[in-house]
Amino acid sequence: MRRIGTVLVAAAAVLGSACAAPVVAPTVTPVAPGLLAIADPAAPPGGVLELQIPIDTGAASGLDPQLADVAVSWQLMSLVYETLVVIGPGFRIEPGLAVSWETPSPTEYVFHLREGVTFANGRPMDAADVVGSLERLLAGPGVWATQVGPVASVAAVDDRTVRVVLDRPYTPFLAALANTPAAVLPMREIAAGTVDPATTMLGTGPFVAEFHRQDVLWRFARRPGYWAPARPAADKIIVSIVPQESTRIAALQNQSADFAVLGNVDAPQLLAGVRGVVALPQATTDFYYLMLNNNAPGGKFADPRVRTAVNIAMDRTQIAAVATAGLGTPTGVTPAGLPDACDPAALPSATADLDEARRLLAEAGATDLSFTLTAFSTEPAPAVAQVIQQNLARIGVRVTIQQLDEGSWAGAVYGEVPARFDAALSWFAGYADAGMVAQWWKPEQAQFNIGFMAPDAGLTAAVDTALAAPEGPGRPVALRELCAAVDRDAQMIPLVTRPVVVGYRADAVSPTVFATEGYGNVLRRAADFRVLGR
Amino acid sequence: MTWIRGLDRLSLAGLAVLALLVGAALAGTLLGVGGAQDAIVGPRLAPPDGQWPLGTDQLGRSMLPRVLAGIGTTLLLSAVAVAVTATASTLLGLVAGYRGGWVGEVVLRGVDVLYAFPTIVLAILVAAVLGPGRSATLASIVLVTVPLMTRLVKVAAETVARRDFVTSALISGASHRYVLARHVLPNVAGTVAVQGTYALSVGILVEGGLSFLGFGVQPPASSLGALIQQGGIYLLAAPWLLVWPGMVLVAAVLAITVFGDGLRDRLEPRDSRALK
């Protein structure tokens, strides 16, 4: 009995001590503008870095970066492939494989290529590779061709200079070129048939892929002859695919991982007392959005009044506060945090009240509306879905949540045209320009959402106008009108930005971590990471 | 109710705990004690206090109604599954034990196939086929508990089928169906009842395991396993998310186990009459 008593007292002590201390999020201060952490340049190079991330590259689209359509694919492929320009801290466009560029006119870009860049097979990269890669991207089936914009022609001026001419001004052009699908590929080898990018990764990047088993493991090795001196610092990067959030957190605690990408918004608190572990919440321009299937036969959301009612019921502030623990922020289609983004509190849906939502439902004969919300199980999506459910209960709408693994979810949402789901939850990368993501509101071009979204000429015009608006006082106005148009359309309803928590062992790795990210790429500066103590 | 008087004190305590849990589940489900289990009512991860007796979870929902609803879900799922198991196993076991021969062999080899799978692997397989949710949980518990109960009922029926009173009944012209219903079934009922309590505790653990792995009930529905799964990651930061459903799960399994032991003693006359 004495032993039982001791155990009970100990359990009560643990519970009591925890109860006495409310769970409070630790504050994080950037170490430099736009950076949460900077790799220690004094640390010696070398070593093996062990990473854990929740999901692998999209198996269906293979390893061709131009076909990569999910952010995690861009992240992993960015270790091998590089782009003409890159995103720096604070969403600055910085030189990549192009050392500089000029814009002689609003529709013309001239890129000057970096000297000494080679592919992993040793062949120097030249302008023909850049031209061929862009032409292949624009002619191919990849969704990123839409983001690159209205390109009229791509031509090599000489071996080290490339000129791109656009049909019309397109402000996000450079930000679109900065993503992995716009990477420079070894076009000579691809044309000769000696390299198939769907199965072989041959890029100019700091690492080469040594081993890959889908949904299990990647092993990347340092590439000798990389153009940047002293980079990459690590000899190898081993990336384990670990879907379970708790396992990734435990891996940091028991030192079986040096670095992990975490989705649990409470991870900073959960890891706060673990010696040597740092957990940094990274703000992103990615955002969760609610898809209301407009195309389902006999669908519940074909009536715009029903979609508007659902949109009005969304309490973005509560979703951000509860489901993302305040790490996310409410947003319209122009991601919060980007220059010129619209104010989500000023959206038509945000300024209407719940009585208006109920009135619209009554008008549409949908007072007894119930539907199934299909969500994936990666955190914090289930939490977002549950807060949406509570939001809609306020106007009498009943929601059943169907939680699926990522693969099953993608099949249910994108697998059929017309799609048969009622509603679904997902997130878009928000990129580095406030207007870019709105391209996906043109389903006739995006295609991946044609199964559940009907094209709208007015909305398409609003998107094109905003994307063509040059930097200046006219752009915020165009973006505000775009936000309002998307809000009224309500086929895809932007909700809150998606936070990411970067966890690492400070005694094992010194990483560079951006304070803000727009392409889901936590490993953006992986070539700078220093492995410590081994 | 005379059988209750024959139970020892430990078994009675188990029965009382079980009754308390059922009462708590009914209070939560039917009387709405603690409020709605899926409503966001307070701050996130608030520790237990006067306002939130069991604290709040990561979405600001009171843990009290969630634990009560979790008890109800887990007990109901397990009980329904065990009822299905008892029915199926009794039918299969009776036929296999009474008829014997190739019929018995087919039944036994069938349950052997189910036996070959580790419990949780079989449950995951079922969940993968049916999709996560209550149906998968029910089917998993049934498939996991059917083999053992079928074997035990088969052995018991085989023994009874060789007894003189069965032979007498057959000689006097009784049909096999009558003999099975009138003579064999009542004599294997004790085995089914005792094994049912064991299956109930196994069912609770399977439900907990499936929900822990994310294949059980879907959010925002609550079950003990789902609550433990959601709370596990908060063990150090917010232990009340794990402690309450964990304690209830342990109490439920212990109560059912000791009650089942007492029931077995009560229903096996030879054991109860043995010299102590």
Side-chain angles (χ1 to χ4, degrees):
Chain A
M1 288 303 287
R2 180 182 294 175
R3 187 175 295 171
I4 293 173
T6 307
V7 169
L8 288 175
V9 168
V14 169
L15 190 59
S17 63
C19 293
V23 180
V24 178
T27 53
V28 175
T29 311
V31 296
L35 292 165
L36 295 175
I38 302 176
D40 179 5
V48 178
L49 185 62
E50 303 254 8
L51 305 183
Q52 291 193 358
I53 60 175
I55 54 174
D56 200 353
T57 51
S61 56
L63 299 178
D64 188 336
Q66 294 188 343
L67 301 182
D69 53 5
V70 292
V72 72
S73 298
W74 306 336
Q75 174 175 261
L76 289 167
M77 290 175 180
S78 73
L79 299 175
V80 173
Y81 293 104
E82 292 181 308
T83 49
L84 287 176
V85 293
V86 297
I87 301 297
F91 301 115
R92 282 195 315 269
I93 305 287
E94 296 181 343
L97 294 179
V99 285
S100 63
W101 57 92
E102 297 126 29
T103 50
S105 77
T107 57
E108 192 176 0
Y109 292 79
V110 179
F111 296 95
H112 302 283
L113 304 185
R114 189 178 293 278
E115 295 286 347
V117 176
T118 59
F119 290 100
N121 62 359
R123 182 177 69 76
M125 179 203 76
D126 59 24
D129 292 305
V130 177
V131 172
S133 298
L134 271 175
E135 287 177 341
R136 181 176 183 270
L137 173 64
L138 294 167
V143 296
W144 203 252
T146 302
Q147 288 292 354
V148 172
V151 176
S153 66
V154 186
V157 177
D158 58 41
D159 255 10
R160 314 247 44 95
T161 312
V162 172
R163 172 180 284 112
V164 181
V165 178
L166 307 180
D167 278 329
R168 58 182 182 277
Y170 182 68
T171 305
F173 179 63
L174 290 176
L177 285 188
N179 197 16
T180 308
V184 178
L185 305 182
M187 291 311 298
R188 197 178 300 168
E189 288 80 356
I190 291 173
T194 55
V195 166
D196 177 4
T199 56
T200 305
M201 298 178 78
L202 178 63
T204 62
F207 294 96
V208 289
E210 280 190 340
F211 176 81
H212 176 221
R213 179 165 292 163
Q214 184 69 36
D215 298 328
V216 178
L217 189 80
W218 282 87
R219 191 168 62 236
F220 297 94
R222 174 215 299 265
R223 182 166 82 81
Y226 182 58
W227 56 266
R231 293 173 69 202
D235 289 334
K236 283 186 191 297
I237 295 182
I238 296 173
V239 182
S240 300
I241 313 301
V242 182
Q244 297 82 11
E245 185 77 18
S246 53
T247 308
R248 296 196 303 283
I249 288 178
L252 289 172
Q253 291 170 325
N254 69 16
Q255 307 184 24
S256 58
D258 303 328
F259 187 102
V261 179
L262 305 172
N264 187 300
V265 293
D266 296 309
Q269 295 94 300
L270 301 179
L271 290 166
V274 182
R275 184 183 297 177
V277 174
V278 176
L280 302 172
Q282 184 185 57
T284 77
T285 60
D286 314 341
F287 61 80
Y288 285 98
Y289 65 98
L290 179 64
M291 298 172 243
L292 301 179
N293 188 351
N294 191 11
N295 292 347
K300 299 169 178 176
F301 297 110
D303 189 325
R305 292 170 297 186
V306 177
R307 299 200 303 270
T308 301
V310 169
N311 194 7
I312 290 171
M314 291 298 101
D315 184 344
R316 292 173 175 82
T317 304
Q318 187 186 41
I319 296 171
V322 173
T324 74
L327 299 181
T329 51
T331 186
V333 73
T334 56
L338 284 174
D340 300 334
C342 63
D343 177 7
L347 293 173
S349 64
T351 52
D353 61 17
L354 294 180
D355 286 337
E356 172 68 2
R358 294 186 193 101
R359 188 187 64 77
L360 287 168
L361 286 178
E363 261 186 29
T367 47
D368 198 28
L369 179 65
S370 64
F371 65 88
T372 299
L373 172 59
T374 305
F376 47 80
S377 53
T378 308
E379 291 192 57
V384 174
Q386 289 175 75
V387 181
I388 289 173
Q389 185 186 48
Q390 292 299 305
N391 284 174
L392 289 168
R394 300 181 305 167
I395 57 168
V397 174
R398 296 183 309 282
V399 178
T400 302
I401 297 172
Q402 180 186 39
Q403 188 174 297
L404 303 173
D405 64 273
E406 295 267 355
S408 305
W409 175 89
V413 174
Y414 301 121
E416 290 178 294
V417 178
R420 285 194 290 184
F421 67 88
D422 291 337
L425 181 69
S426 186
W427 61 270
F428 280 131
Y431 318 123
D433 179 277
M436 278 176 77
V437 71
Q439 287 277 28
W440 306 137
W441 269 255
K442 297 193 293 184
E444 69 278 22
Q445 285 187 23
Q447 284 299 311
F448 66 85
N449 49 5
I450 198 75
F452 60 86
M453 189 175 185
D456 180 286
L459 184 55
T460 298
V463 173
D464 289 339
T465 303
L467 292 172
E471 302 287 357
R475 192 155 201 250
V477 176
L479 290 171
R480 268 202 304 276
E481 286 169 5
L482 169 63
C483 282
V486 165
D487 193 63
R488 282 192 296 270
D489 179 68
Q491 295 187 76
M492 295 197 293
I493 301 172
L495 298 169
V496 296
T497 57
R498 183 188 74 104
V500 168
V501 176
V502 179
Y504 64 93
R505 294 201 61 86
D507 54 356
V509 59
S510 173
T512 295
V513 180
F514 282 19
T516 52
E517 170 58 44
Y519 299 76
N521 192 349
V522 172
L523 306 180
R524 186 170 290 286
R525 290 282 174 88
D528 293 340
F529 286 18
R530 299 281 169 152
V531 181
L532 308 174
R534 59 182 74 183
Chain B
M1 298 298 283
T2 52
W3 60 272
I4 290 183
R5 283 200 291 272
L7 293 174
D8 57 47
R9 272 193 284 181
L10 192 60
S11 307
L12 284 173
L15 187 60
V17 170
L18 206 52
L20 267 178
L21 291 175
V22 171
L26 291 174
T29 310
L30 300 181
L31 305 179
V33 171
Q37 60 99 12
D38 57 355
I40 298 166
V41 293
R44 304 175 75 253
L45 302 173
D49 61 11
Q51 195 171 8
W52 324 112
L54 303 187
T56 65
D57 70 3
Q58 64 275 30
L59 292 183
R61 298 174 296 202
S62 174
M63 282 296 289
L64 175 59
R66 289 190 66 72
V67 170
L68 295 180
I71 295 169
T73 303
T74 299
L75 288 183
L76 184 65
L77 274 175
S78 306
V80 170
V82 168
V84 174
T85 294
T87 307
S89 297
T90 304
L91 282 174
L92 289 170
L94 278 180
V95 171
Y98 183 74
R99 286 291 302 272
W102 68 268
V103 175
E105 284 302 311
V106 167
V107 170
L108 281 186
R109 296 296 82 79
V111 297
D112 281 349
V113 170
L114 292 177
Y115 247 142
F117 291 93
T119 300
I120 208 66
V121 172
L122 182 61
I124 290 172
L125 182 67
V126 173
V129 172
L130 296 181
R134 290 169 195 262
S135 307
T137 309
L138 270 175
S140 299
I141 296 172
V142 170
L143 289 177
V144 164
T145 51
V146 149
L148 182 58
M149 195 182 284
T150 303
R151 274 183 165 276
L152 291 174
V153 173
K154 185 254 180 193
V155 170
E158 208 168 36
T159 308
V160 173
R162 295 192 192 117
R163 303 281 291 275
D164 291 344
F165 63 87
V166 172
T167 309
S168 302
L170 289 170
I171 289 171
S172 61
S175 68
H176 290 303
R177 188 178 299 176
Y178 178 84
V179 170
L180 274 172
R182 181 75 182 176
H183 296 298
V184 182
L185 182 58
N187 281 285
V188 301
T191 303
V192 173
V194 171
Q195 189 56 29
T197 60
Y198 169 72
L200 193 59
S201 60
V202 170
I204 290 172
L205 292 174
V206 170
E207 187 284 322
L210 267 182
S211 294
F212 184 80
L213 294 171
F215 294 110
V217 298
Q218 295 296 287
S222 173
S223 77
L224 294 179
L227 290 174
I228 290 170
Q229 187 266 334
Q230 289 154 18
I233 204 166
Y234 291 94
L235 174 61
L236 296 177
W240 56 90
L241 298 188
L242 179 65
V243 166
W244 307 125
M247 280 169 45
V248 171
L249 185 76
V250 169
V253 172
L254 269 177
I256 291 167
T257 304
V258 296
F259 172 64
D261 277 352
L263 203 59
R264 186 199 60 197
D265 294 344
R266 182 76 184 84
L267 294 176
E268 289 193 7
R270 279 170 298 180
D271 282 355
S272 60
R273 289 173 195 159
L275 288 174
K276 301 276 192 298

